[in-house]
Amino acid sequence: MAQNEATSVNDLLTTGQNSSEVLSSAETDAQNCASPRLAADVDQIQAVRDQRQTELDQAQVLNTDDLPNGAGLKSNLISALSLSMQSDGYYLTWAQRQAQPATCVDGSLPPEEPAADNRAHAPKEAFLRDWNPIALQYGLPTRSRSQL
């Protein structure tokens, strides 16, 4: 049973990592006010935010009872995803401003992002302290904070 639970957590993490990669690409592009892809970047960031909501919904119903510190693992994952979703909202608002010529600032980032990222560090680190030994036990990939 624990193997299935670990695999379910890993599947969710893989989806989240893919979302983070899409966000990073759209964010890098949206820093350039001359980019012809600004409208598409907004759409991509919205899709990532929607995907993160789906991941959060899935995390809330994960069964982690048979995993070591399963309740703490799940709680930290939910906290990390909630904070990531909040950060995605900041990126979305920023990208929407970037898509408007009058409010676009080359090379900018969402001003709220550093603080939001800092708030996410603790639950991500706590999750990883519990997750990585589980992943190793079941032959699943370990993760770093940047992969959550």
Side-chain angles (χ1 to χ4, degrees), residues 22 30 49 69 74 82 114 125 131 147:
V22 170
R49 188 175 182 288
N69 191 26
K74 181 176 176 177
S82 293
E125 292 294 336
W131 171 250
Q147 294 173 309

Side-chain angles (χ1 to χ4, degrees), residues 101-112:
T103 55
C104 191
V105 178
D106 269 330
S108 70
L109 285 172
E112 309 88 353

Side-chain angles (χ1 to χ4, degrees), residues 77-127:
L77 178 59
I78 290 169
S79 292
L81 288 171
S82 293
L83 291 165
S84 292
M85 199 173 88
Q86 182 181 50
S87 181
D88 294 345
Y90 295 142
Y91 272 106
L92 180 59
T93 301
W94 165 78
Q96 290 166 334
R97 285 191 310 262
Q98 288 292 94
Q100 303 301 316
T103 55
C104 191
V105 178
D106 269 330
S108 70
L109 285 172
E112 309 88 353
E113 176 49 28
D117 190 46
N118 285 335
R119 284 189 300 274
H121 284 194
K124 285 181 178 183
E125 292 294 336
F127 170 79

Side-chain angles (χ1 to χ4, degrees), residues 26-48:
E27 171 230 310
T28 299
D29 188 54
Q31 291 180 13
N32 177 1
C33 293
S35 172
R37 294 195 32 82
L38 281 172
D41 294 328
V42 171
D43 291 343
Q44 279 189 307
I45 293 169
Q46 178 67 57
V48 167

Side-chain angles (χ1 to χ4, degrees), residues 3 8 18 21 47 51-52 59 61 65 70 82 106 118 146-147:
Q3 172 74 47
S8 295
N18 293 338
E21 289 168 6
Q51 178 60 39
R52 193 90 65 195
V61 298
D65 294 343
S82 293
D106 269 330
N118 285 335
S146 66
Q147 294 173 309

